[in-house]
Amino acid sequence: MTGRILVVDDVATNRIVMKVKLAAACYAVEQADCGHAALAAARSNAPDLILLDVVMPEMSGLEVCRRLKADPETADIPVILITALADHASKMAGLEAGADDFLTKPVDEVTLLARVRSLLRARDTARELRQRGETAPGFAEAAAGFAARERPGRIALIASGPKGAVLWKTALDDRVAGEVSILPRDAALGGFAVEDPEVPDVFVIAADLSHRNEGLRLLSDLRSRPATRHAATVMILPDGDAERAAIALDLGAHDILYDPFDAAELAIRIRAQLGRKRQADRLRASVRLELEMAVTDSLTGLHNRRKGLFELERMLARNSDGLAVMLLDIDHFKQVNDSLGHATGDRVLHMVARRLRGKLDDDALLARIGGEEFLVALPGCNQATALARAEELRQAIAMQPFGLGGATKPLDITLSVGIALSQPGSAETAQSLLDRADAALYGAKALGRDQVTLSTVSAT
C-alpha cells in the first residue's frame, strides 16, 4: 500500500464508492461516519490523508477540519474537503479552515487521484525532513533562530502576457503579505543561483505562456534545478481542464487553480503554500545543522576526527602531485589543564585552532583529531615546501604568547610537528601516512619538543 486514507462521510454509499476508487489505486482506506469518529480516528491512527465530507449532522466537515488543524497531533495531516455545495463562499470557508483542497461532487476521479498523490508526496517529504531534523541537538533553538530571520515571502507571477501579469499583481498586492513581482519565463530559468536570497518562495504560473503547455514545461524545469527545486508552485489552468491539472500535479505543482480565478482564493492558496515552504525550509536547515554538528569539533569549529580522516582519504585519492600530512601536538598541554583548569585549556585549544587556520590556504585540511592533537594536510608539497610550511605553523604558535585576559599572565605555548610525505604515484594509504607522521611526531618530542621532524621511513 502507498498510503492510508481516512474517508469521512455520513452516507455509507458515498464512503463505499470512494473506497473502491482509492483501493483500485492501492491505497489503504479507513472509514468514519461522523465528525467525532473522524477526530478520534485521526488521533489514534494518524492517517496520511483525510477525505472529508462537508455536510454532516452534529459536526460539519468545516468544524472537523478546524479542530484537526488546531491539534498539534493532527495539524499536518492533509485534508481534502468534498461536498455537493458548489458555491464560492463554501469553498472559501473550507480553505480558510485549513483544507488543502476543496472538491465538488461528483468528484472527477483523475483530479482526485492526482491531488492525493501530490499531497502524499508532500507529506512524505515533510515527515522525512522532520524525522531527520528532530534528531539534531539544538533543533528547537535552530528553528527559533531561523524563524526570527524570516523575511517577507517572495511571490513571482509568470503569466501568458504582460497585461495578464499586471492584472494578477494588482489583484494580489493588497491580499498577500509579501513581495509580489512579475517575472519573465527566461528570468525564472536562468536568473538564480543556489542559495540565492532572491529566489521566489512561490511561483504562480500560467499553464500556457507564449505556447500551449509552455508553463507546464517551465514547471518541470523549475523542479529539476537546484536553485528553484524547493520553491512552491501554483499552476493556473483554463477552466475545467482537469486532465492537465492532473498532469501539473504529477509534474510537481503544489496547487492548482482554474482561470478565471478569484483573487481572494489565490491569495489564500499562496499563503498556505508560503507557510508550508517556510516550514520545509526550517526542517532542511535543521537537517543541515545536524550534518554539520556530526562532522564538526564543537570546541574549535574545525573538522572532527571522523571528518578529518574522511577528507584526508579524499585528498589522497585525487592528488597526483604529492601530499604533506602533518600531526601537530601542543606541548605539555596537561600542565595547562592541571594548573589553570579545563576552561582555560579549552580557550587555548580554540586560540591555537584559530591561529593555525589563519596560516593555511583554503585547499588545506585542518582538523582536531584528539585532545590536543591536530591534523594538517597540504596538497602539492615537496619536502622543502612541507618543512617550510610546518615551521610557519610552529612559529605561529610559539612566537606570540597567548593572552587570556584577567589576572592570568600570557602563556607560552609550543607545538611539536611530525610530517609524512606522499610521493606522486604512490599507492600509500591514508592510515600509513598518519602512522608515519605520528612516528615523526614522537621523534620531535624525543628531541625536546617545539620541533618539526620529517619521517624518513619510505612507504612500502
Side-chain angles (χ1 to χ4, degrees), residues 29 72 91 133 168 237 256 281 336 341 384-385 389:
V29 180
K91 184 176 187 179
W168 287 8
L237 296 121
I256 56 172
D281 286 345
V336 176
T385 303
R389 296 303 306 279

Side-chain angles (χ1 to χ4, degrees), residues 190-270:
F192 304 108
V194 177
E195 302 296 335
D196 187 340
E198 300 298 317
V199 175
D201 297 293
V202 181
F203 288 94
V204 181
I205 308 172
D208 301 320
L209 299 175
S210 43
H211 303 287
R212 179 174 170 79
N213 290 330
E214 190 174 23
L216 294 177
R217 290 191 289 272
L218 173 61
L219 165 65
S220 183
D221 281 332
L222 293 175
R223 295 286 290 162
S224 69
R225 299 185 181 208
T228 53
R229 180 173 299 148
H230 299 303
T233 50
V234 180
M235 292 297 300
I236 308 298
L237 296 121
D239 189 28
D241 195 345
E243 181 178 353
R244 287 202 295 167
I247 292 172
L249 290 169
D250 284 337
L251 285 174
H254 297 81
D255 207 347
I256 56 172
L257 196 59
Y258 294 106
D259 201 14
F261 57 82
D262 180 80
E265 180 181 350
L266 177 58
I268 290 174
R269 292 179 182 271
I270 288 174

Side-chain angles (χ1 to χ4, degrees), residues 74-89:
T74 57
D76 291 335
I77 302 175
V79 175
I80 300 177
L81 291 175
I82 298 178
T83 182
L85 301 175
D87 62 291
H88 182 69

Side-chain angles (χ1 to χ4, degrees), residues 328-408:
L328 302 80
D329 191 86
I330 301 176
D331 297 325
H332 304 296
F333 185 71
K334 186 176 184 300
Q335 294 180 11
V336 176
N337 280 333
D338 290 346
S339 61
L340 299 174
H342 287 277
T344 299
D346 288 348
R347 290 183 62 192
V348 169
L349 286 169
H350 180 78
M351 295 169 74
V352 167
R354 188 169 59 186
R355 286 196 195 178
L356 293 175
R357 182 75 274 174
K359 290 294 183 179
L360 294 170
D361 298 329
D362 291 340
D363 62 347
L365 168 64
L366 174 61
R368 180 187 175 207
I369 62 171
E372 64 267 25
E373 191 171 55
F374 297 85
L375 165 67
V376 171
L378 303 176
C381 277
N382 57 26
Q383 178 173 315
T385 303
L387 286 169
R389 296 303 306 279
E391 183 62 21
E392 287 178 13
L393 297 177
R394 187 196 65 77
Q395 291 186 20
I397 304 303
M399 299 302 290
Q400 181 180 352
F402 285 69
L404 301 174
T408 304

Side-chain angles (χ1 to χ4, degrees), residues 438-450:
D438 192 49
L441 173 62
Y442 274 98
K445 289 182 175 293
L447 291 172
R449 295 182 169 84
D450 194 19

